[in-house]
Amino acid sequence: MRILTATRTALAQALITACGSSATIKAYSGTVPTDLGTPAGTLLATGTFGATIGTATAGAVDIDESGISQTNASHVTGTPTFWRISTSAAAAIIDIAVGGGAGQGTNSGGVVNGVDVTFTGLSIVIPHATA
């Protein structure tokens, strides 16, 4: 399957729109829930986006890392096993497992109470690019 880049970019924009303003990104330890269900692990950290989670470009969502605010005093020390992006009303939109496989994110280090989580190089790539 191959999807036209303009269509992939439209899908990326649809994700941004679904997340809405003041969406959250949360780090959890534990097993990634099935079908975006209720997380069973420990909530380690919460970040809040500004007006959007990012911009749609060339079939991907370029996450606005600098637009994420957080209160590190409420962080719980631990190692994330997945990240969840939700609307400001806590409706789950995306779960991203931490690992090295296709469709997974990577972590370097863990979450530490009292220390900001550093977000760098985040993007969500819509698969199946045209050749």
Side-chain angles (χ1 to χ4, degrees):
M1 174 191 314
R2 294 193 181 158
I3 302 172
L4 187 67
T5 299
T7 302
R8 292 172 53 240
T9 303
L11 291 169
Q13 183 59 53
L15 279 175
I16 293 167
T17 300
C19 290
S21 181
S22 301
T24 61
I25 183 167
K26 296 182 178 185
Y28 286 93
S29 64
T31 303
V32 181
T34 304
D35 299 327
L36 296 172
T38 303
T42 301
L43 174 61
L44 302 176
T46 300
T48 303
F49 292 95
T52 68
I53 66 168
T55 56
T57 306
V61 178
D62 180 16
I63 301 291
D64 179 13
E65 297 95 347
S66 66
I68 300 171
S69 62
Q70 56 191 298
T71 304
N72 63 32
S74 63
H75 290 357
V76 174
T77 299
T79 302
T81 54
F82 71 97
W83 293 84
R84 172 168 283 183
I85 298 177
S86 301
T87 67
S88 62
I93 301 295
I94 304 164
D95 279 346
I96 305 164
V98 173
Q104 296 183 337
T106 57
N107 267 10
S108 61
V111 174
V112 178
N113 178 262
V115 178
D116 280 349
V117 174
T118 301
F119 297 97
T120 58
L122 300 178
S123 65
I124 300 168
V125 179
I126 307 302
H128 305 297
T130 55

